[in-house]
Structure formats: C-alpha cells, structure tokens
Amino acid sequence: MTGPVSPQVLAANAGYLASVLMFMFGIMRMGKVKTARSGNQLAAGAMLLAMVSQFVEMGRIEPWFIVAGIVIGSVVGVVAAIKVEMTEMPEMVALFNGSGGLASALVALAAYAFHHIPMQPLMSASMGEAAPSAVNGLAVMLSIVIGCVTFTGSLIAFGKLSGKVSGSPVLLPGRHVINAALLIMSLGGSVMVVFTTGGMPGMGIVIAVTVMALILGVMLVIPIGGGDMPVVISLLNSYSGLAAAMAGFAINSQVLIVSGSLVGAAGLILTQIMCKAMNRSLTNVLFGGFGAEPEAGGKGGGADEYTNVKSAEAEEVAMILEDVQSLIFVPGYGMAVSQAQHLVRELGDMMAARGCQVRYAIHPVAGRMPGHMNVLLAEASVPYEQLFELDQINNEFKATDAVIVIGANDVVNPDAVNKKDSPLYGMPVLNVWEARTCFVIKRSLSPGFAMVKNPLFEADNNYMVFGDGRKALEEIIKCLKEA
Amino acid sequence: MTGPVSPQVLAANAGYLASVLMFMFGIMRMGKVKTARSGNQLAAGAMLLAMVSQFVEMGRIEPWFIVAGIVIGSVVGVVAAIKVEMTEMPEMVALFNGSGGLASALVALAAYAFHHIPMQPLMSASMGEAAPSAVNGLAVMLSIVIGCVTFTGSLIAFGKLSGKVSGSPVLLPGRHVINAALLIMSLGGSVMVVFTTGGMPGMGIVIAVTVMALILGVMLVIPIGGGDMPVVISLLNSYSGLAAAMAGFAINSQVLIVSGSLVGAAGLILTQIMCKAMNRSLTNVLFGGFGAEPEAGGKGGGADEYTNVKSAEAEEVAMILEDVQSLIFVPGYGMAVSQAQHLVRELGDMMAARGCQVRYAIHPVAGRMPGHMNVLLAEASVPYEQLFELDQINNEFKATDAVIVIGANDVVNPDAVNKKDSPLYGMPVLNVWEARTCFVIKRSLSPGFAMVKNPLFEADNNYMVFGDGRKALEEIIKCLKEA
Amino acid sequence: MTGEVLVGFYTFILACVAGYQLITKVPPTLHTPLMSGANAISGITILGALAMTNGHGTIAATIVGCLAVIFAMVNVAGGFMVTERMLKMFGSKKK
Amino acid sequence: MTGEVLVGFYTFILACVAGYQLITKVPPTLHTPLMSGANAISGITILGALAMTNGHGTIAATIVGCLAVIFAMVNVAGGFMVTERMLKMFGSKKK
Ligand SMILES: NC(=O)c1ccc[n+]([C@@H]2O[C@H](COP(=O)([O-])OP(=O)(O)OC[C@H]3O[C@@H](n4cnc5c(N)ncnc54)[C@H](OP(=O)(O)O)[C@@H]3O)[C@@H](O)[C@H]2O)c1
Ligand SMILES: NC(=O)c1ccc[n+]([C@@H]2O[C@H](COP(=O)([O-])OP(=O)(O)OC[C@H]3O[C@@H](n4cnc5c(N)ncnc54)[C@H](OP(=O)(O)O)[C@@H]3O)[C@@H](O)[C@H]2O)c1
C-alpha cells in the first residue's frame, strides 16, 4: 500500500473488520437451536480478536494497570457466571448488562475529561486524523446518558428479580412528568456541553447530566413489575449496544459503531419478539404498570373466590397414575422456584418404565424468562424427544389420560380462551382441561404472575395437590414406588 | 455543525444516506408479492433522490451535455421497456444489465484517464479529502474488468435468448484454459497498472486489460445453453452491482459502494435460489454445458423412440371435455412461444361457465424465466384464485378428470420421479399422469429443454394433440362452441 | 491516511450481509421482477458517471462521460420501468 | 472534513438493518441465551476503554480508565460464559 499506513495499523484494521464479520455470523448462528452454541463461541472469538487488534494498534500498553483491569474484570465475570444458579440467570444478565452500560459511560466521560473531545480535535490512534465536530461531542454526551440509564436501570431490574427490591410496580404519582423532565433536561444539558468551549463550566453540566441520567434509569424501571423484567433487560441490553455505538461515534471507531448498533438493533427486535410471545405490547410493558392494581386493591384471585375445588393427596394421585396410559407434564414458574425439575424427570422416567407415554408441554412464557422451562428440563436431562411446544401438543390433550401441572398457573388458564375481559384473553394457553384428569401441584390457591383467578382449579376433572412442588413430587414418587 | 462543511455537501450527504435506506427497504419489499410493486417504486425514488443529491453536491452542471445524456438514456430505456413484449423480458433485462456494466467500466476508465486515480490524489467532490492509495487504483481496474465482462456477457445472453446467437452451448476445446489465462492476465495487468506511475505505458496496459475482459465476457457465456440464460443474467446482474461498488471504491463514494454491494449480494443469492428451483448447482450451470451433449450425439428423445403414442383431434378433445367436472391446465414454454395464454384463458372461462372446476398448475421453472407462466397468465387476466403452485396442487391430480398440458414437457416428465439415471431425476414435477385423462398440446414428439424422452407421451391415459399451441386451442374452442 | 477506504470495507461487508439477508425467501414468481429491479439499482453507477464528467472540460472526457451517463441511464430508467410493467400485472390480478 | 463521521452514519444504518435482519425468527427457547449473548457483544466498549486509558498518564485518567476496563470485561467475560453455560445444556440434550 502506498501512503503513510504503518503495518500495525493495517493489521489492526484487518482484525477489526474480521471481528465485525464474526460478530454478525455469530449473532446469526445464535438464532438457531442447532448452531446457537457455536455462534456464541464465534462471537467470543470475535471479541478476543478485536481486543488483540486494539493492542496491536496501540503498540504499547501504558499504564500497565490496564492489564490488571482486564484480569480482574474477567475473573469476576467468569466466576459469577459459573457460580450462578440456572434460575438466577436473568438477574446475572441484568448485572452484566449494567456493568457494560457503566463502562460505556465511563469511556465517554474519559473522552470528555481527558481527551477533551467536544472541545478540540482528538488525534484518534485508530484513525490518525483530526475529526473534531459537534457530532463527536454529542455522541460523547449521548453515550454518557444512555450508559447511565442502562446502568441504574439494570441494577433495579436485578434488584427486582433477586427480591432485593420489591418486585411489584412502584407507581410514583406524576412519574411520567418527572421522567419527561429528566429526559429533556439531560438532553438539553448534553447539547449545552457540546457548544461550551473550554473547561469547567462544561464539566459541571456533564456531572449534572450524569446524575440526571442515573436517576432516570431508576425511575424508568421502578414502575415495571418483576415479571416483566426479562423484557426490560432485553431492552436495556439494546440500550447498552447503543451506548457502545455512541462511544464509537465519539472516538471515531467503526468497530464500536458497527458492533454496538448490531446489538442495539438485535436487542430491540428481540424485545419485540418477547413481548409478542407474552401477547403484550412494548408500550404496555414499559408504561402499563402491569400487576400493580390487584396488589393495591384486593388480590385478583384469593382462596375465598373459589368454590367446588377438589384436592387430592399424594397417595390418591399415585393410585390414579398407576392406570394411566398417557401423561403430559406442564411445568411453570413454581417448578423453577422449588427446583423440582429433577423430581419431575424421575417421575416421568418411572411412568415411562411402566409403559406410559410421557410428554412435556412447554409454554413459551412459562416461568420468568424466555426458554426458562427448556433450560431447567435440559438441566435435568429430560430427553429432547419428550419436549413439545405449545402448538405441537395443544391438540393432544384431548386424547391424554392425565396431566400434571407443576407450579404453572397463567399458562393453563382457560379464561385466556373463554373470557373476553380477562387480562390474559388472547394469549395462547395449554388446554390442559381437555385431558381426562388434571392435577395441579402448587402451594395454595393464590394467583400467578398475572394476578387473576384461574377457573381451571374449579373444573370437574381437576384435582389440586397442595404443597411445595418438590415435596409434593417426592411424596407422589414414594407412594408410586410402594404401590 | 462546526468544521468546514458547506450546507450543500451536508444536504447531499443526507440525501445519499436516505437513498441508501430507501434502496434497502425497496429490495426488502420487492421480495414479497404484496409489496413488490411499491418496493420497486421506492427504489426508483431512491435513485432519483441520489441523483438530485449528486447535483446538489456538484453545485454546477458542466458540461451541459450531461443533461442531454440523461434525457437520451432515459428515453431510450423507457421506450424499450414499454415496447418490449412480455415474452421478451429476459432479453431486455440482459440488455439493460449490459448497459449498466458498460457504464461502470466507462466511469472507471474516466477516473483513470482524466482523474488519474491510481497515480495521484483525487480531490473527490463528495469527500473533499485526498485519498490516494493502491486500493483506489485497484478498484478502478476491477471496475473496468467486471464491467466489461458484464457488458459482453450480457450481450451474448441477449443474443442467445433472442435467437440472434445459437442458443445451444458452444463448447470450444480448451476453453477452461483460455478463460483462466484471460482472467489471470487481466488481473495481473490490473495490478501492474496500479504500480505504474505516470501516463502512457499504463494506458497501454489498461487498454489491453479492457480488451481481455471484453473477450472473457463472451467466452464465459458462450458455452452456456440458452435455457440457462436467466440464471446467467441474474449472475451478471450481481456482477454489475459489484462493478458499481468497485467504482465506488475508486472514487470514494459510499452510496456507490453500499448500493452496489447490496445488489451484488442480492443478485448472488437470487442466482442460488433460481438454481435451486431448477434443481441444479451453480457450477453445473456455469461449466456444465447443459444441453450440449444430446445436440452433439443423437437427439435425446426423437419421435422414433416412442411406441404406443395415442393422439387425439380437436373434436375428440372437445367431446371429452364436455363431460369433465374438474380440469387443470399445465402451461409450459410452448404456451409462451405460441402466445396462447389468452386462448387458454378463454377455454378455461368456457369450461368454468359449464360448471367445471378450472385450475392452473404453475411449475416454478416452467418456461424460460422464473415466474414466466405467472407473468403470461397474469397478462391474460386469469383469476388469481385459479393459480396454484406445485406443492399446493400436486396432490389434486389424482382426483381430477382432465389435464391439458400446453407446450410443457420437462416439468411433467414422470422420469424425474421414477428414473434414477434421468438428468431430471430429483426435480419436483407436476404429476399430471395421475389424472383420469391427460392431453398434451405440442407440435411433435421432440423433446423439451432438457433434451430427454418423456414417457408421459406413452401413458395409457395420455393423448397427444399435435399442433401449434395457439392453433390447437383455437380448434378445440371452436369444436366446443359448436357442440 | 486511508481512513475513507478502510471504512469503505465496513460498508461493503455490511451491505453484502444486508443484501444477502434481505432476499431470503423469495417465491419463484418474483424471481424475474426482482432480478430486473436489482439490475436497475445497479445503475447507481450513474452518480459516478456524473461526478467523473462534471467540471472536466476536455472533449475526450466529455465524450466518455456522456456515454457513461447515457448507458447508466438506460439501465436505470429501462430497468425500473420494465420491473414496474411486470409487477403491475401481478397487482391487477391480485384485486 | 467530517468524512469519518459521515461514513459512520452509513455503517450505523447498515448495521442496524443487518442486526434487525439477522434476528428474524428466533424460537422462544433461545430468547434468553440470545439476549445474554448480545449483551456480551455490547461489551465491545472495552476497546474504547483501552483506547481512552492508553498513554494518558494522569492518575484520574488511569483510575477512570481502569474502572471502565474492569466493568467492560465483567460484561464481556461473564456474558459469554453465562451464555455458554445455558447453551451447553441445550447441546447435551440434543445428542
Ligand atoms: N417466561 C417469560 O419470559 C415471562 C416473562 C415475564 C412474565 N412472564 C409471565 O409469567 C407467567 C408465567 O406463567 P406460569 O404459569 O409459569 O407461572 P405463574 O402463572 O406465575 O404461576 C406460578 C405459580 O407457581 C406457584 N408456585 C410458586 N412457588 C411454588 C413452589 N415452591 N411450589 C409449587 N408451586 C409454586 C404459585 O402458586 P402458589 O403460590 O399457590 O404456590 C403460582 O401460582 C405468565 O403470566 C407470563 O406472562 C413470563
Ligand atoms: N423457468 C426458468 O426459469 C427456466 C430457466 C432455464 C431453464 N429452464 C428449463 O426449461 C424447462 C421448462 O420446462 P417446460 O416444460 O416449460 O418446457 P420444455 O420442457 O422446454 O418443453 C417445451 C415444449 O414446448 C413445445 N413447443 C414449442 N413451441 C411450441 C408451440 N409453438 N406450440 C406448442 N408447443 C410448443 C416443444 O415441443 P414441440 O417442439 O414438439 O412443439 C417443447 O417440448 C425445464 O427443463 C427448466 O429446467 C427453465
């Protein structure tokens, strides 16, 4: 090549390009069950390549603390990822996401404070050419705002999921006005900074903007119910991609722009897909305060509302199961809470050994995160052929002897099909009531995530098996063994 | 904005960006039947916007001949597009495509000859910054090579489709060696030009490279059979996109790079989709010389090979049709040749008026271009509800009284299903032989595009109706009216 | 520096991926119109033709430039027009 | 000139389209792993953290930079690891 391009810069840029390609193919592969794992590994490899290229481009590493930072961060991340329980995955992802948002905000802050990006030309190592402009400056500020919102928003989401913050929506009066004010002020401040030339007054505004963005993150997530957190995390994830893209505009790095906006767009569409699976609109999730009213008024479906509920003891269940030719398990959030997946599989294996046809019906939004049930049942190594998705199995209930529902509630609510004014109306549900006999294992008659009454519990062919999911299953298994 | 950006340049660049977005959405919409038309219009609007933006950026127009060029080109293009017969669409597209390829090559030539791109920095109006480099130079040469191959290749494809050049594959001995030599020499010459500084020796090589590329285009397409031309045109279309992208690299224009490579990639995948529909591989199309051997040896299915062929006169056909309750038309290339689509529809309407169920079965590769039959039947305003694709209707033949095949041959060849060593084996075909009675309207027993014998003609329930498609149908209609 | 050229590689790669993704499942009916529509878009080289001709006074440059403009415009105008004609037929029949 | 920034808009738009197109039909099973994998990729900001810290001697810059590096690395390493763990389960079951 002619022109003043050093071999390092050339090599680094080739590396960046390759890593962008790898990210794209990685994301593409992550979208299919068969290739998902290799897709993730490809993306991880791309990240490594991008980092190595960055080091090649920088030539020297100074200060050496950088390396310490990399090691510390990696160790913390990996240990946390290995230690976390399968059921706590969403919380963990929220924390990681917040961490990434904070990092983008810090990068932008550093660009402002130490490289004076909005004020004077930056000699970007990666481009080697002066590119001072209001665009860079605005990008710095947007990166700070979006990064900070992602950070505190993710922390609140983590708190709600892990029970450290109340999971139910906290609806401050006038919150829409407050949020709008915070948003406008932080954006206005950002614009002001860009047109302030020279030091300290600018710094004051930057700090004010940062604080406002941090508060905004809390305010936006606090009014959303705990059950909607997966959607919120996915959205915040899209934000953190956007924050990285903005940081890329700030420092003129194409890798950051491309990878960041890839994630931003992918996260957004994923959020929409998730909402669709729950039969909700994104607006409804973000501003609806779903699950708040019933908490405030009377419970949406207390024990008092039910009449004619039949219940069964473990022995009775075992007795009936002895004669059953076909059985479908329907797991729900309660199975996750009581960690009953291994027992479910044990019971399934016992029944299969007796010659009974055993299947598992997986509702797309059973549990509290998408794919929750698949992950848990996979953990308990339930054979893949026994797992069926909603539309594959929904016609099979009619011809099935018995259904065992373990800690599921909303996903088996007949009102979703029959009752027009139910909040669940329109969501596809598993038609368990069509089976000859149905058992529902849960601790009480209290409602599920949607806080509505479930008429299934009053059905003629339905028996409640009260108790913790794990304990109830243990007893049933014991009785079945003795029989 | 700070920095020395003139409002024109800013506006122009906004226009470019918007047009790129519009191109993308246009292409996306063109992929679905419902939105295809609006997609094409969106893309046309994008092109207009891009051109206007270019004028805005240039500020002045000089020489004024440019405008004359635009007017002349538009008039020629539009008149040709309006005058062309529906059946001649593929030829027309080939011509347009060749024209685009030539334009890209001319742009690159101008960049080399008048703007000295490989040799000295170009002050690109659109970017205003010096960007001299071997990359630009190489892009100039690649644009010339690809553009020239596209040009002559498209001309040959046009010639083959319109019958001006023999449609059958011309297989020169040693053509692979010659082509490889031409390719290597033109690429080698390109690299040499890039590293030759200063005038005329470079110009000599450029001319040599141009000539070689022009020959290469002819050589690559000549050995391919006329029936494979749609695939070849699609591939050449992908090339002309690539040529535009290379021109973009040469003059540092992002719009050209992005739009060109969009088309390049879309054309490539479209080519693959088309090959798949024909159950061929791209390599086989490009290097296979499909349809050549039988031409060289004895005909693959002459009249002499057939025994027990039954034929029927128009009156007999009309008599049988009188009692038919369900009828399926299977159009093929012969319908296109004899322009019989309007008569087909007339017969269909007559039968429908008699209370018969009338349907049309469209094979994906019937005719000589994808969607050929759809276009023709649409031209004859056959009701959309009566058109069925292969997998929709293939199970219906069993329960059908009569099938009329008009000038189709390969797409109704039972060997594709039954005979492992048939060249057609594996291609999904319309199972017309399952109907109670089958009529095949064609002029003789001679084979179709694939040059193989068709055992359908010997089937017990099949009657040949010999004659030109149009004439045969006219007679049948006449007899049916008289009856 | 080669900043612009380098960045060109990003847009090139991204556009290829986008182009590939945009055309995933096209029904055979649309193969020909899509081919011809894409062909019209490849006439974008008209911008290059305009830029190369503009403000370059020599006769040779004017001739080559105007030829490039003419050929590119034939591709653009003819391409979109012929696509429109094909698609109009589908449209009328859909009603 | 703002060439680089301008071109940034192209890559931004193209990447958004590509990102959108890449995730068209994801089965619910993969929503959580995909979310977490995408999250890990957003840790790409680590490159910015490295670039901003490198060669800037002041203590304040070092502290802010190292914090950015640490947080970004937690996101990257943890994100890919946790995704791998989730997907490993699907893998084992597929066999
Ligand atoms: N999957 C997702 O991505 C996602 C995301 C956000 C929201 N959601 C929502 O979450 C709901 C999921 O439906 P679902 O049927 O799985 O759950 P659910 O409707 O929330 O019901 C869970 C039931 O499990 C029972 N339970 C809790 N702990 C238990 C234990 N230790 N042992 C036995 N049972 C226990 C509870 O009843 P007791 O208290 O009586 O035991 C509760 O009724 C849907 O409304 C969905 O829209 C899902
Ligand atoms: N659609 C595409 O995109 C495409 C592209 C490339 C290749 N192809 C290939 O083209 C073939 C298409 O199959 P096809 O069944 O439609 O056509 P075909 O197999 O080529 O047969 C066409 C038949 O039409 C008859 N015919 C010609 N002129 C006629 C006239 N004036 N009146 C009546 N009949 C006439 C010919 O027989 P007579 O001479 O006896 O009349 C011939 O056998 C396939 O092999 C396909 O792979 C298709």
Side-chain angles (χ1 to χ4, degrees), chain B residues 7 19 38 100 128 144 270 294 379 381 472:
Chain B
S19 69
S38 72
I144 293 180
L270 186 59
E379 192 197 346
S381 349

Side-chain angles (χ1 to χ4, degrees), chain B residues 185-422:
Chain B
M185 275 158 60
S186 48
L187 292 184
S190 303
V191 173
M192 273 172 67
V193 171
V194 174
F195 292 105
T196 308
T197 29
M200 282 312 108
M203 197 59 186
I205 309 179
V206 171
I207 292 174
V209 167
T210 307
V211 172
M212 284 190 289
L214 289 171
I215 299 176
L216 187 59
V218 177
M219 291 290 295
L220 286 176
V221 180
I222 270 281
I224 303 175
D228 282 335
M229 280 308 124
V231 177
V232 172
I233 296 174
S234 177
L235 190 68
L236 289 172
N237 174 22
S238 164
Y239 288 175
S240 75
L242 212 59
M246 288 303 138
F249 271 110
I251 65 174
N252 279 335
S253 162
Q254 293 297 324
V255 206
L256 258 68
I257 298 181
V258 174
S259 319
S261 34
L262 266 180
V263 172
L268 193 65
I269 174 85
L270 186 59
T271 311
Q272 282 178 329
I273 296 177
M274 283 164 70
C275 284
K276 224 173 174 178
M278 287 170 59
N279 200 33
R280 309 263 306 275
S281 76
L282 187 55
T283 342
N284 181 280
V285 169
L286 294 185
F287 304 115
F290 197 66
E293 269 83 312
E295 205 88 271
K299 284 251 178 208
D304 39 338
E305 281 196 26
Y306 289 92
T307 48
N308 289 328
V309 173
K310 279 176 287 187
S311 75
E313 297 298 315
E315 303 94 77
E316 299 172 56
V317 178
M319 247 168 59
I320 298 181
L321 284 184
E322 273 183 51
D323 299 328
V324 150
Q325 294 305 313
S326 53
L327 172 66
I328 298 180
F329 286 106
V330 176
Y333 177 61
M335 181 182 85
V337 174
S338 64
Q339 288 287 306
Q341 61 271 23
H342 295 279
L343 290 169
V344 171
R345 183 178 149 223
E346 197 181 328
L347 181 56
D349 286 353
M350 281 174 67
M351 291 301 294
R354 286 167 168 270
C356 169
Q357 180 194 33
V358 175
R359 286 176 290 184
Y360 296 77
I362 313 288
H363 191 281
V365 296
R368 284 297 179 271
M369 64 174 178
H372 205 161
M373 296 301 121
N374 297 76
V375 170
L376 292 175
L377 294 177
E379 192 197 346
S381 349
V382 168
Y384 193 70
E385 314 80 56
Q386 295 182 5
L387 298 183
F388 291 87
E389 287 181 21
L390 184 123
D391 16 320
Q392 291 174 317
I393 205 163
N394 230 358
N395 287 325
E396 304 285 315
F397 285 109
K398 281 193 281 293
T400 299
D401 290 342
V403 167
I404 302 184
V405 176
I406 310 113
N409 190 339
D410 298 341
V411 300
V412 294
N413 192 325
D415 275 354
V417 182
N418 302 326
K419 204 170 135 205
K420 276 245 165 70
D421 59 350
S422 164

Side-chain angles (χ1 to χ4, degrees), chain A residues 37 40-41 60 62 65-66 74 81-82 84 97 99-100 104 114-115 127 129 135 237 240 254 265 370 384, chain D residues 4-5 11 16 29 31-32 35 39 42 45 50 52 54-56 61 66 71 73 75 78 80 82 84-85 93:
Chain A
R37 199 171 161 201
N40 184 52
Q41 289 162 350
R60 55 175 184 173
E62 198 190 359
F65 296 106
I66 292 184
S74 306
I82 292 182
V84 66
N97 192 45
S99 181
S104 284
F114 311 122
H115 300 263
M127 295 304 168
E129 122 188 0
V135 173
N237 175 20
S240 74
Q254 294 294 326
Y384 194 69
Chain D
E4 297 249 326
V5 171
T11 48
C16 285
T29 327
H31 288 176
T32 303
M35 174 171 92
N39 170 38
S42 72
T45 198
L50 294 175
M52 286 299 103
N54 190 51
H56 204 284
C66 280
F71 283 116
M73 264 330 275
N75 188 3
F80 283 121
V82 94
E84 168 74 14
R85 265 192 71 194
K93 145 189 100 178

Side-chain angles (χ1 to χ4, degrees), chain A residues 86-91 161 225-231 274 277-278 280 290 330-339 341 361-377 390 405-412 424 427-428 430 448-450, chain D residues 28 31-32:
Chain A
M86 264 301 147
T87 37
E88 289 159 358
M89 288 288 178
E91 289 99 295
L161 281 172
D228 282 335
M229 281 307 124
V231 178
M274 282 164 72
M278 287 169 60
R280 308 263 306 276
F290 197 66
V330 176
Y333 176 60
M335 181 183 85
V337 175
S338 64
Q339 288 286 304
Q341 62 270 25
I362 313 288
H363 191 282
V365 296
R368 285 297 179 272
M369 61 174 180
H372 205 162
M373 297 300 120
N374 296 75
V375 171
L376 292 174
L377 293 178
L390 186 124
V405 176
I406 311 113
N409 190 340
D410 298 340
V411 300
V412 294
L424 293 176
M427 177 169 96
L430 292 162
F449 169 70
Chain D
H31 288 176
T32 303

